[in-house]
Amino acid sequence: VVEKAFKSQQSSIRIDAFLCWQALMDNFSLNEQVITNPKRLKLLIAPLKVNNAKSEDIATAKLQAWWHLVVKLDNNAQANFDLVIAPLLRFCFGAGSSSGIASGLSEQYLMKAGATSASPGRKFVGLHLLCAEILAQIISKGLDLDDFMICNMGIKSLCAPVLNIGQGFVHSHQLLFTCIKEAITSLNPNDRKHQVLGVFILQCVLGQLKIVLSSEAKPDTVETVKALFMLISALESQCRPGDSQSLFVYK
C-alpha cells in the first residue's frame, strides 16, 4: 500500500507516504539490530533514493524523512555513511562530480540554466536553508564548538557524529567541499540567520582541518588542504570585499 502511495499522482498522498515511512523508521529503531540490519536499512532508504519528488512540498517531506532516518540511526549513522548520508547530501546539493569545486559547473548554475538534472535541494529555494542546516549538523557534530558562532537550527539534532572527526572529513572531502560551496552560495547573506549559518559552516570546516593537521601529515591530508583553498577561491570569485556575498568568506 505504501509503495503505491509513493507513486501516486496526488502530492498529498506522497507526503503522507513519507510521514508513514517515518513511523516505520521509529518502529525499526526500537531495536538497534533491526534498524541496522542491511536488508531493513536498504528497505528504508529505497523510496528516499528514487526520483519521486517533483514538487517542493514532496521534496520537503522526503528530506525530512531522510533526516529522520539519520537521527534514528544514532551511533550507527557513521558506519552507514555511503549508504545513507552520501545520497542525502547529493539530494541536497547535487555534488555528483568529484571535480565540482574546480569545474565551476555548480548545481546553482544548472538550476539557473533550467537543467532537469539539478538536485531537488538546489531546484527548490524553500529547501536551501534546510539543506544547509543538515550539512552543518553533519560536519559539526563532535567538534568543540565553544568558540564558534551560536547557530540555532530548526531541524532535529544529531546525538552522535556522522563523520569520523578529522579523518572522516578527509575521506569524504571532495563530496563535502562541493556541498559546502553549494550551501554557502545558496544562502542569503543579508538574512541574519543565513549569515550566521554560513559562517558557522566555514568555522566547522576549519575545525575539522585543525584536527587533521594536528596529527601526522598524509597525502590525503595535503589534498584536502588544497581542496580548501580551491573552495575559498571559488567563493571569492563570486564576491568582492564589501559586497554582501563576501560576508561568508571574509568574516
Side-chain angles (χ1 to χ4, degrees), residues 61-82:
K62 180 175 183 174
L63 187 55
Q64 290 171 340
W66 210 326
W67 185 245
H68 189 72
L69 174 60
V70 175
V71 173
K72 287 297 177 181
L73 281 170
D74 199 16
N75 291 313
N76 298 293
Q78 188 176 128
N80 291 285
F81 186 92
D82 291 339

PDB file of all heavy atoms in Angstrom, residues 61-82:
ATOM      1  N   ALA A  61       8.995  16.889   2.367  1.00  0.00           N
ATOM      2  CA  ALA A  61       8.584  15.720   3.154  1.00  0.00           C
ATOM      3  C   ALA A  61       9.617  14.603   3.044  1.00  0.00           C
ATOM      4  O   ALA A  61       9.931  13.922   4.027  1.00  0.00           O
ATOM      5  CB  ALA A  61       7.219  15.229   2.674  1.00  0.00           C
ATOM      6  N   LYS A  62      10.150  14.435   1.855  1.00  0.00           N
ATOM      7  CA  LYS A  62      11.164  13.401   1.632  1.00  0.00           C
ATOM      8  C   LYS A  62      12.441  13.721   2.401  1.00  0.00           C
ATOM      9  O   LYS A  62      13.031  12.842   3.051  1.00  0.00           O
ATOM     10  CB  LYS A  62      11.463  13.303   0.135  1.00  0.00           C
ATOM     11  CG  LYS A  62      12.500  12.254  -0.241  1.00  0.00           C
ATOM     12  CD  LYS A  62      12.622  12.180  -1.755  1.00  0.00           C
ATOM     13  CE  LYS A  62      13.584  11.109  -2.192  1.00  0.00           C
ATOM     14  NZ  LYS A  62      13.591  10.930  -3.665  1.00  0.00           N
ATOM     15  N   LEU A  63      12.866  14.975   2.345  1.00  0.00           N
ATOM     16  CA  LEU A  63      14.082  15.389   3.037  1.00  0.00           C
ATOM     17  C   LEU A  63      13.931  15.238   4.546  1.00  0.00           C
ATOM     18  O   LEU A  63      14.855  14.798   5.237  1.00  0.00           O
ATOM     19  CB  LEU A  63      14.406  16.841   2.669  1.00  0.00           C
ATOM     20  CG  LEU A  63      15.730  17.413   3.172  1.00  0.00           C
ATOM     21  CD1 LEU A  63      16.905  16.549   2.734  1.00  0.00           C
ATOM     22  CD2 LEU A  63      15.909  18.840   2.670  1.00  0.00           C
ATOM     23  N   GLN A  64      12.774  15.590   5.060  1.00  0.00           N
ATOM     24  CA  GLN A  64      12.520  15.444   6.497  1.00  0.00           C
ATOM     25  C   GLN A  64      12.543  13.974   6.913  1.00  0.00           C
ATOM     26  O   GLN A  64      13.063  13.633   7.987  1.00  0.00           O
ATOM     27  CB  GLN A  64      11.178  16.087   6.849  1.00  0.00           C
ATOM     28  CG  GLN A  64      11.189  17.605   6.751  1.00  0.00           C
ATOM     29  CD  GLN A  64       9.810  18.223   6.895  1.00  0.00           C
ATOM     30  OE1 GLN A  64       8.789  17.552   6.698  1.00  0.00           O
ATOM     31  NE2 GLN A  64       9.753  19.502   7.239  1.00  0.00           N
ATOM     32  N   ALA A  65      11.997  13.107   6.068  1.00  0.00           N
ATOM     33  CA  ALA A  65      12.015  11.671   6.362  1.00  0.00           C
ATOM     34  C   ALA A  65      13.439  11.134   6.329  1.00  0.00           C
ATOM     35  O   ALA A  65      13.832  10.315   7.173  1.00  0.00           O
ATOM     36  CB  ALA A  65      11.143  10.922   5.355  1.00  0.00           C
ATOM     37  N   TRP A  66      14.224  11.608   5.378  1.00  0.00           N
ATOM     38  CA  TRP A  66      15.615  11.159   5.243  1.00  0.00           C
ATOM     39  C   TRP A  66      16.420  11.557   6.479  1.00  0.00           C
ATOM     40  O   TRP A  66      17.182  10.758   7.029  1.00  0.00           O
ATOM     41  CB  TRP A  66      16.230  11.781   3.988  1.00  0.00           C
ATOM     42  CG  TRP A  66      17.300  10.953   3.339  1.00  0.00           C
ATOM     43  CD1 TRP A  66      18.205  10.151   3.967  1.00  0.00           C
ATOM     44  CD2 TRP A  66      17.565  10.843   1.937  1.00  0.00           C
ATOM     45  NE1 TRP A  66      19.033   9.554   3.047  1.00  0.00           N
ATOM     46  CE2 TRP A  66      18.660   9.960   1.796  1.00  0.00           C
ATOM     47  CE3 TRP A  66      17.005  11.409   0.797  1.00  0.00           C
ATOM     48  CZ2 TRP A  66      19.202   9.641   0.548  1.00  0.00           C
ATOM     49  CZ3 TRP A  66      17.539  11.088  -0.438  1.00  0.00           C
ATOM     50  CH2 TRP A  66      18.619  10.212  -0.565  1.00  0.00           C
ATOM     51  N   TRP A  67      16.243  12.800   6.903  1.00  0.00           N
ATOM     52  CA  TRP A  67      16.969  13.261   8.086  1.00  0.00           C
ATOM     53  C   TRP A  67      16.488  12.520   9.333  1.00  0.00           C
ATOM     54  O   TRP A  67      17.277  12.231  10.239  1.00  0.00           O
ATOM     55  CB  TRP A  67      16.799  14.768   8.260  1.00  0.00           C
ATOM     56  CG  TRP A  67      17.628  15.323   9.381  1.00  0.00           C
ATOM     57  CD1 TRP A  67      17.190  15.897  10.534  1.00  0.00           C
ATOM     58  CD2 TRP A  67      19.062  15.328   9.463  1.00  0.00           C
ATOM     59  NE1 TRP A  67      18.253  16.268  11.331  1.00  0.00           N
ATOM     60  CE2 TRP A  67      19.415  15.928  10.695  1.00  0.00           C
ATOM     61  CE3 TRP A  67      20.072  14.886   8.613  1.00  0.00           C
ATOM     62  CZ2 TRP A  67      20.739  16.091  11.092  1.00  0.00           C
ATOM     63  CZ3 TRP A  67      21.400  15.051   9.014  1.00  0.00           C
ATOM     64  CH2 TRP A  67      21.715  15.642  10.238  1.00  0.00           C
ATOM     65  N   HIS A  68      15.219  12.194   9.367  1.00  0.00           N
ATOM     66  CA  HIS A  68      14.670  11.422  10.483  1.00  0.00           C
ATOM     67  C   HIS A  68      15.382  10.076  10.588  1.00  0.00           C
ATOM     68  O   HIS A  68      15.705   9.616  11.693  1.00  0.00           O
ATOM     69  CB  HIS A  68      13.166  11.212  10.274  1.00  0.00           C
ATOM     70  CG  HIS A  68      12.457  10.611  11.444  1.00  0.00           C
ATOM     71  ND1 HIS A  68      12.213  11.306  12.614  1.00  0.00           N
ATOM     72  CD2 HIS A  68      11.936   9.359  11.640  1.00  0.00           C
ATOM     73  CE1 HIS A  68      11.575  10.527  13.473  1.00  0.00           C
ATOM     74  NE2 HIS A  68      11.400   9.341  12.909  1.00  0.00           N
ATOM     75  N   LEU A  69      15.652   9.466   9.452  1.00  0.00           N
ATOM     76  CA  LEU A  69      16.364   8.189   9.439  1.00  0.00           C
ATOM     77  C   LEU A  69      17.780   8.354   9.981  1.00  0.00           C
ATOM     78  O   LEU A  69      18.249   7.527  10.774  1.00  0.00           O
ATOM     79  CB  LEU A  69      16.410   7.625   8.016  1.00  0.00           C
ATOM     80  CG  LEU A  69      17.244   6.350   7.820  1.00  0.00           C
ATOM     81  CD1 LEU A  69      16.712   5.214   8.689  1.00  0.00           C
ATOM     82  CD2 LEU A  69      17.255   5.937   6.350  1.00  0.00           C
ATOM     83  N   VAL A  70      18.453   9.423   9.567  1.00  0.00           N
ATOM     84  CA  VAL A  70      19.817   9.674  10.050  1.00  0.00           C
ATOM     85  C   VAL A  70      19.828   9.811  11.569  1.00  0.00           C
ATOM     86  O   VAL A  70      20.678   9.230  12.258  1.00  0.00           O
ATOM     87  CB  VAL A  70      20.402  10.949   9.399  1.00  0.00           C
ATOM     88  CG1 VAL A  70      21.770  11.274   9.997  1.00  0.00           C
ATOM     89  CG2 VAL A  70      20.513  10.781   7.886  1.00  0.00           C
ATOM     90  N   VAL A  71      18.881  10.567  12.095  1.00  0.00           N
ATOM     91  CA  VAL A  71      18.801  10.768  13.546  1.00  0.00           C
ATOM     92  C   VAL A  71      18.508   9.448  14.257  1.00  0.00           C
ATOM     93  O   VAL A  71      19.101   9.140  15.300  1.00  0.00           O
ATOM     94  CB  VAL A  71      17.724  11.820  13.887  1.00  0.00           C
ATOM     95  CG1 VAL A  71      17.524  11.913  15.402  1.00  0.00           C
ATOM     96  CG2 VAL A  71      18.113  13.188  13.325  1.00  0.00           C
ATOM     97  N   LYS A  72      17.618   8.653  13.691  1.00  0.00           N
ATOM     98  CA  LYS A  72      17.250   7.380  14.311  1.00  0.00           C
ATOM     99  C   LYS A  72      18.396   6.368  14.280  1.00  0.00           C
ATOM    100  O   LYS A  72      18.492   5.500  15.152  1.00  0.00           O
ATOM    101  CB  LYS A  72      16.016   6.789  13.620  1.00  0.00           C
ATOM    102  CG  LYS A  72      14.716   7.510  13.948  1.00  0.00           C
ATOM    103  CD  LYS A  72      14.404   7.408  15.432  1.00  0.00           C
ATOM    104  CE  LYS A  72      13.167   8.162  15.821  1.00  0.00           C
ATOM    105  NZ  LYS A  72      12.876   8.066  17.278  1.00  0.00           N
ATOM    106  N   LEU A  73      19.268   6.485  13.302  1.00  0.00           N
ATOM    107  CA  LEU A  73      20.415   5.576  13.237  1.00  0.00           C
ATOM    108  C   LEU A  73      21.403   5.847  14.365  1.00  0.00           C
ATOM    109  O   LEU A  73      22.189   4.974  14.739  1.00  0.00           O
ATOM    110  CB  LEU A  73      21.123   5.705  11.883  1.00  0.00           C
ATOM    111  CG  LEU A  73      20.466   4.972  10.721  1.00  0.00           C
ATOM    112  CD1 LEU A  73      21.121   5.368   9.402  1.00  0.00           C
ATOM    113  CD2 LEU A  73      20.532   3.470  10.912  1.00  0.00           C
ATOM    114  N   ASP A  74      21.394   7.077  14.866  1.00  0.00           N
ATOM    115  CA  ASP A  74      22.196   7.442  16.030  1.00  0.00           C
ATOM    116  C   ASP A  74      23.668   7.072  15.807  1.00  0.00           C
ATOM    117  O   ASP A  74      24.268   7.487  14.825  1.00  0.00           O
ATOM    118  CB  ASP A  74      21.619   6.762  17.274  1.00  0.00           C
ATOM    119  CG  ASP A  74      22.065   7.404  18.578  1.00  0.00           C
ATOM    120  OD1 ASP A  74      22.574   8.543  18.535  1.00  0.00           O
ATOM    121  OD2 ASP A  74      21.910   6.780  19.641  1.00  0.00           O
ATOM    122  N   ASN A  75      24.235   6.264  16.695  1.00  0.00           N
ATOM    123  CA  ASN A  75      25.654   5.904  16.594  1.00  0.00           C
ATOM    124  C   ASN A  75      25.986   5.075  15.356  1.00  0.00           C
ATOM    125  O   ASN A  75      27.164   4.915  15.023  1.00  0.00           O
ATOM    126  CB  ASN A  75      26.085   5.110  17.839  1.00  0.00           C
ATOM    127  CG  ASN A  75      26.105   5.973  19.085  1.00  0.00           C
ATOM    128  OD1 ASN A  75      26.641   7.073  19.083  1.00  0.00           O
ATOM    129  ND2 ASN A  75      25.495   5.483  20.155  1.00  0.00           N
ATOM    130  N   ASN A  76      24.981   4.543  14.702  1.00  0.00           N
ATOM    131  CA  ASN A  76      25.212   3.687  13.536  1.00  0.00           C
ATOM    132  C   ASN A  76      25.200   4.454  12.214  1.00  0.00           C
ATOM    133  O   ASN A  76      25.432   3.866  11.163  1.00  0.00           O
ATOM    134  CB  ASN A  76      24.148   2.586  13.492  1.00  0.00           C
ATOM    135  CG  ASN A  76      24.215   1.676  14.704  1.00  0.00           C
ATOM    136  OD1 ASN A  76      25.179   0.941  14.883  1.00  0.00           O
ATOM    137  ND2 ASN A  76      23.199   1.738  15.551  1.00  0.00           N
ATOM    138  N   ALA A  77      24.931   5.746  12.272  1.00  0.00           N
ATOM    139  CA  ALA A  77      24.897   6.543  11.043  1.00  0.00           C
ATOM    140  C   ALA A  77      26.279   6.614  10.398  1.00  0.00           C
ATOM    141  O   ALA A  77      26.413   6.555   9.174  1.00  0.00           O
ATOM    142  CB  ALA A  77      24.377   7.944  11.340  1.00  0.00           C
ATOM    143  N   GLN A  78      27.306   6.737  11.231  1.00  0.00           N
ATOM    144  CA  GLN A  78      28.671   6.866  10.714  1.00  0.00           C
ATOM    145  C   GLN A  78      29.074   5.643   9.893  1.00  0.00           C
ATOM    146  O   GLN A  78      29.688   5.771   8.830  1.00  0.00           O
ATOM    147  CB  GLN A  78      29.644   7.073  11.873  1.00  0.00           C
ATOM    148  CG  GLN A  78      31.059   7.401  11.449  1.00  0.00           C
ATOM    149  CD  GLN A  78      31.958   7.703  12.644  1.00  0.00           C
ATOM    150  OE1 GLN A  78      33.034   7.129  12.787  1.00  0.00           O
ATOM    151  NE2 GLN A  78      31.511   8.601  13.516  1.00  0.00           N
ATOM    152  N   ALA A  79      28.710   4.462  10.371  1.00  0.00           N
ATOM    153  CA  ALA A  79      29.065   3.224   9.671  1.00  0.00           C
ATOM    154  C   ALA A  79      28.290   3.069   8.363  1.00  0.00           C
ATOM    155  O   ALA A  79      28.672   2.273   7.503  1.00  0.00           O
ATOM    156  CB  ALA A  79      28.805   2.023  10.573  1.00  0.00           C
ATOM    157  N   ASN A  80      27.215   3.827   8.211  1.00  0.00           N
ATOM    158  CA  ASN A  80      26.385   3.741   7.005  1.00  0.00           C
ATOM    159  C   ASN A  80      26.441   5.037   6.199  1.00  0.00           C
ATOM    160  O   ASN A  80      25.472   5.395   5.523  1.00  0.00           O
ATOM    161  CB  ASN A  80      24.940   3.426   7.402  1.00  0.00           C
ATOM    162  CG  ASN A  80      24.789   2.023   7.954  1.00  0.00           C
ATOM    163  OD1 ASN A  80      24.802   1.045   7.217  1.00  0.00           O
ATOM    164  ND2 ASN A  80      24.658   1.920   9.273  1.00  0.00           N
ATOM    165  N   PHE A  81      27.576   5.710   6.262  1.00  0.00           N
ATOM    166  CA  PHE A  81      27.729   6.998   5.576  1.00  0.00           C
ATOM    167  C   PHE A  81      27.473   6.867   4.076  1.00  0.00           C
ATOM    168  O   PHE A  81      26.710   7.643   3.491  1.00  0.00           O
ATOM    169  CB  PHE A  81      29.136   7.558   5.818  1.00  0.00           C
ATOM    170  CG  PHE A  81      29.338   8.943   5.261  1.00  0.00           C
ATOM    171  CD1 PHE A  81      29.102  10.062   6.046  1.00  0.00           C
ATOM    172  CD2 PHE A  81      29.763   9.128   3.953  1.00  0.00           C
ATOM    173  CE1 PHE A  81      29.275  11.341   5.534  1.00  0.00           C
ATOM    174  CE2 PHE A  81      29.939  10.395   3.427  1.00  0.00           C
ATOM    175  CZ  PHE A  81      29.697  11.508   4.223  1.00  0.00           C
ATOM    176  N   ASP A  82      28.102   5.888   3.447  1.00  0.00           N
ATOM    177  CA  ASP A  82      27.978   5.742   1.991  1.00  0.00           C
ATOM    178  C   ASP A  82      26.560   5.356   1.568  1.00  0.00           C
ATOM    179  O   ASP A  82      26.099   5.759   0.494  1.00  0.00           O
ATOM    180  CB  ASP A  82      28.967   4.697   1.473  1.00  0.00           C
ATOM    181  CG  ASP A  82      30.410   5.170   1.576  1.00  0.00           C
ATOM    182  OD1 ASP A  82      30.627   6.399   1.649  1.00  0.00           O
ATOM    183  OD2 ASP A  82      31.323   4.324   1.601  1.00  0.00           O
TER     184      ASP A  82
END
